[in-house]
């Protein structure tokens, strides 16, 4: 390195943006690159979200239907084949409660759990959850276990 090849460290020199509206001599004075008149040339201009230049916006063109039930209760689904997999991996012995499901990341701490009947359950389990489908309850009891509603 000598005086002929000095250069600033990489990333230390930033090219500044063009300084607009700083007088005629700069060549970027006058309209400050915004053009003449119209809403876009004014200060404080911001385009409305979804605005399509006066054309009827998509949000208003598409028909609306249905409604959202404010009393809806969402359940986290856990299937029988998932419970059987836990037994096969020796993560569960004889009881499956909410803490077990939490520790195996099958439910969050604020979730309500519903056990559904996909797959088959061979192990005798004591399962406690917030809800059971009829087929899941039947399968758990058929395997000699018990379904406890929280």
């Amino acid at each position: 390195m000598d005086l002929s090849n000095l250069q600033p460290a990489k990333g230390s020199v930033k090219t500044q943006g063009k300084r607009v509206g700083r007088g005629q001599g700069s060549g970027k004075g006058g309209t400050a690159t915004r053009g003449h008149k119209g809403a876009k040339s004014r200060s404080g201009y911001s385009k409305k979200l979804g605005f399509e230049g006066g054309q009827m916006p998509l949000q208003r063109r598409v028909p609306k239907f249905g409604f959202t039930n404010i009393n809806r209760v969402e359940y986290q689904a856990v299937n029988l084949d998932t419970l059987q997999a836990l037994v096969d991996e020796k993560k569960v012995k004889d009881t499956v409660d909410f803490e077990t499901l939490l520790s195996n990341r099958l439910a969050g701490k604020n979730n309500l759990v519903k056990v559904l009947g996909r797959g088959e359950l061979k192990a005798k389990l004591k399962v406690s959850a917030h809800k059971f489908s009829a087929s899941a309850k039947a399968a758990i009891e058929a395997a000699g276990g018990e379904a406890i509603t929280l």
Side-chain angles (χ1 to χ4, degrees):
M1 182 163 96
D2 54 32
L3 291 178
S4 68
N5 59 10
L6 284 178
Q7 57 184 41
K10 201 173 183 73
S12 68
V13 178
K14 296 180 175 64
T15 52
Q16 301 292 311
K18 57 183 172 187
R19 282 167 53 94
V20 296
R22 290 288 177 271
Q24 294 299 319
S26 69
K28 300 271 191 296
T31 59
T33 72
R34 285 168 176 251
H36 295 280
K37 297 190 193 164
K40 275 177 139 174
S41 72
R42 317 287 185 205
S43 69
Y45 167 78
S46 66
K47 195 176 83 197
K48 301 287 181 290
L49 202 63
F51 184 66
E52 297 182 20
Q55 170 177 302
M56 186 60 68
L58 183 68
Q59 164 68 12
R60 291 188 58 198
R61 269 178 289 173
V62 177
K64 311 292 177 284
F65 59 91
F67 80 110
T68 304
N69 182 0
I70 59 167
N71 299 316
R72 180 175 168 78
V73 180
E74 286 274 353
Y75 288 94
Q76 177 63 48
V78 176
N79 278 289
L80 293 179
D81 54 7
T82 315
L83 296 180
Q84 185 59 48
L86 287 179
V87 174
D88 295 342
E89 292 162 11
K90 296 188 170 49
K91 289 183 179 174
V92 173
K93 282 210 166 57
D94 51 356
T95 58
V96 176
D97 55 0
F98 192 62
E99 279 68 44
T100 314
L101 296 174
L102 273 180
S103 60
N104 288 300
R105 295 188 159 189
L106 293 173
K109 65 180 192 319
N110 299 322
N111 290 132
L112 297 174
V113 176
K114 182 168 182 176
V115 179
L116 303 178
R118 186 187 71 199
E120 57 178 325
L121 185 67
K122 302 178 196 81
K124 178 182 173 182
L125 288 177
K126 187 175 176 183
V127 185
S128 51
H130 299 96
K131 261 200 171 167
F132 294 89
S133 69
S135 59
K137 195 167 190 146
I140 291 168
E141 285 161 1
E146 96 181 270
I148 303 156
T149 307
L150 294 175

